[in-house]
Amino acid sequence: MAVRLVLCFQAKVACGEGDAASTLAIMLRDLSGRSAVRGGQVVAWHVDGVAFSFPVEALPDLTDMLPEPPCTQFGMGLAVGELETVFELGHGASASSGPALAEATALAVLAEPGEALVSTALASREPGLLAADEKAGSRWGRPWRGLRLNLAQPWLPAPADLLSRLDFDVWVGAAADAALPVQVGSCSVLVADEGSGGSRFLRQLVAAERSSLWLAPACAGEPLGALRRAFARNTDWSRPGAPGNAGRGALERLLSGAGLTHEAAIGLLRLWSATAGADGSAAIVVIDEADRVDLDTLETVSLAAPETFAVVARTHGPELPAALRSLSSCAEFELGRLDRQRSFELLGAFTRGGLRGALADRWARLCGHSPLGLQEALCCALEEGELVWTNDELCACRPGPSRGDEHEASYWIRRRLERFDAAERTVLEAVAVLGGEADSYELTSIADQALDRGKSLAEVTRQLVGRRWVRRTGERILGLSSATHRRVLLEALSAERRKQWHSLVAERVGSRDRPLSAGIAAVHALLAGEDERAEASARRAALLLRVNAREVTARAFDGLAEQLSLEPVRARGLGGVLPAPAEPDPNPAPGERGARSSEAARSSVESESSLEEGATEFDLDDWMPGWAEGTVATGQPSGGVPVSGSGEAAAATGPGFPARPCSPNGSFVRNATGRAGCRQRLAVSLLLARTERFVEALPHALEALAIARETGDARGEKACVAALAALSRAAGQPAAADAWEQRLRS
């Protein structure tokens, strides 16, 4: 016997009554002709009905044969199973027998006029068929069960078509009528848990403000990653020539991942604020998930905000990150659960009035009165056929969760995730591992390699945008719909697959030509269990950070390299939102890690050690008169380096600036701390200047400046600024020298 589809029509009017017989005959002839076109043939007939059989693969076209409702002449049954041809009759007809014919006939008899019943076996085999509401009865002494087919819409449409009718941009939430005041130089705080509508509330808050900059967590391991991504997302500023000459250099360094000094980053933010607020409106910096943003970005915002722009920070708990606490508080608002009425209104707004009454009330309860839960439950119900569009109204089709069930947004997201194929999951996982947002280069680097050859990245991306899983957050930038989507995707990864992704990110994204991608490589390599790569990348990141005078963050990467632990960088907000590896890495053999550390650190040791030793004997007061009094004499010191200067260290740390060598233990050794440590680093710098190695001397002076600032050594800071001015001019960097000199005079 062959497996075939059988469609049976059972007349529900008496064939001998007036025009009914001729009407029925006309319809049967029409059905016979239409079935032949689809590869079907008549397999059985009797006085008030007829049955057709078709190849199983013809099912998508088969539903076109069903009469449009209302049709009261027939009841219809559709089944799949074995069918045997007893003998051929010719002209597209045969006499057949088998279980499929028996079931289809029984279901057609059980069906009400104008109703089509589908066998449970066929409904299970074809989840795209919109069949629900089981009906049971008996025929020929045995029971039969079937599901009512939705004749108005037999098949689930493409998910993107279903969801395109929803409007998730509206805001009718717990705080729809609330205003969060903002004030220049102050911080307004929004406390909102995942899924409570915090990001949506912030988008509504700044919807009418063109002068806003949106900061959010970036890829794990990238210092200033949130600030870089914000300017990349801001097309008004990432476009060539947008900020003008004043900030172009700093912007290019930021976008290229070369990093910026504190001063340069602050100056860039202030320049953005002055440009954005040129029309008199207050510029606003919005920080979503502020408790997960890297501290280099938060510190820059905190220092740049006074008298410049307003800050709105969204946190998951009542504690504001320490880096923002120096800002005065303007207002605080906590976003709670939706009440019943708000849930009802939000569902109505999402569906443009298509979900109303008891059905809307039921789905509001099922979603736990969470805005994201409502959104994801609607998407899930439409994709699975639990709700269907009938004209402009949503109606129940398949049975959904039981009345008493209440689920968080993550439950609905997990259910939706199960419906994706491998290509779609690959792209989603890639975006999640990259921190929830990725540009086209990053996606192409890692996701494109893992896609099936039959699907392009652009095609998969369009599908995901249509299904509301991702959205375009900027030109060539893709972001997940919410932080909850990111968390669910990461939690769904097996330990082995998670390691594979981290390894790919470390290799492809971490090795790109952005200098501070070394930090990304370090964190992801460690998460992948690749200790040697993590150590080497962390040391490179520390070197590059010191070039930008970011000593605190550099030490964090030193700690990662020495301890092979994420804890030092987590303290700087650089551990990302990635879950810890599900299984611990095996312990290395005794002494293995120590041997690797020594090997990686063995570069330019002799020259570094000699400088350190020389610095301890170097009389800085003789070299730079006025150190003890906190002033620096202008003119020519004995080494011939003109003392003048100030400025934007960005210019002093441009491309081609040599990486500073490591000390014997793999980090920048300081034999002294505090004021003495600052003097020692500055002494090393000036010893190099004596031999006219001005470019090599600059990072040592920058480190000395960083120590002076960390320890509150005002006199040391002033001396370092003077040295940087002199060194910059001697190194052929007049713009930097002018900037340092300006700082010295201020």
Side-chain angles (χ1 to χ4, degrees), residues 468-521:
R468 309 296 183 96
W469 271 80
V470 297
R471 53 193 175 85
R472 301 194 183 279
T473 57
E475 289 185 5
R476 300 182 299 278
I477 301 176
L478 209 64
L480 292 171
S481 291
S482 74
T484 311
H485 285 79
R486 179 186 63 209
R487 176 172 58 81
V488 170
L489 283 163
L490 293 173
E491 290 173 350
L493 291 174
S494 66
E496 188 57 36
R497 186 161 176 81
R498 192 181 301 151
K499 284 185 175 183
Q500 291 170 355
W501 275 120
H502 290 316
S503 179
L504 200 55
V505 171
E507 177 188 346
R508 299 287 170 78
V509 179
S511 63
R512 66 184 296 189
D513 56 2
R514 285 208 309 250
L516 289 185
S517 292
I520 297 175

Side-chain angles (χ1 to χ4, degrees), residues 401-458:
S402 63
R403 178 176 293 273
D405 290 343
E406 180 179 307
H407 300 288
E408 296 180 350
S410 55
Y411 165 83
W412 304 104
I413 295 173
R414 281 192 294 270
R415 271 181 59 169
R416 296 184 66 203
L417 184 60
E418 293 171 0
R419 302 179 65 84
F420 282 122
D421 62 23
E424 293 161 335
R425 287 189 72 132
T426 294
V427 175
L428 288 173
E429 290 169 2
V431 179
V433 172
L434 287 167
E437 194 174 47
D439 61 36
S440 57
Y441 177 93
E442 294 165 340
L443 271 183
T444 303
S445 296
I446 64 171
D448 209 23
Q449 305 296 319
L451 286 177
D452 297 332
R453 292 185 180 179
K455 283 195 173 183
S456 69
L457 180 59

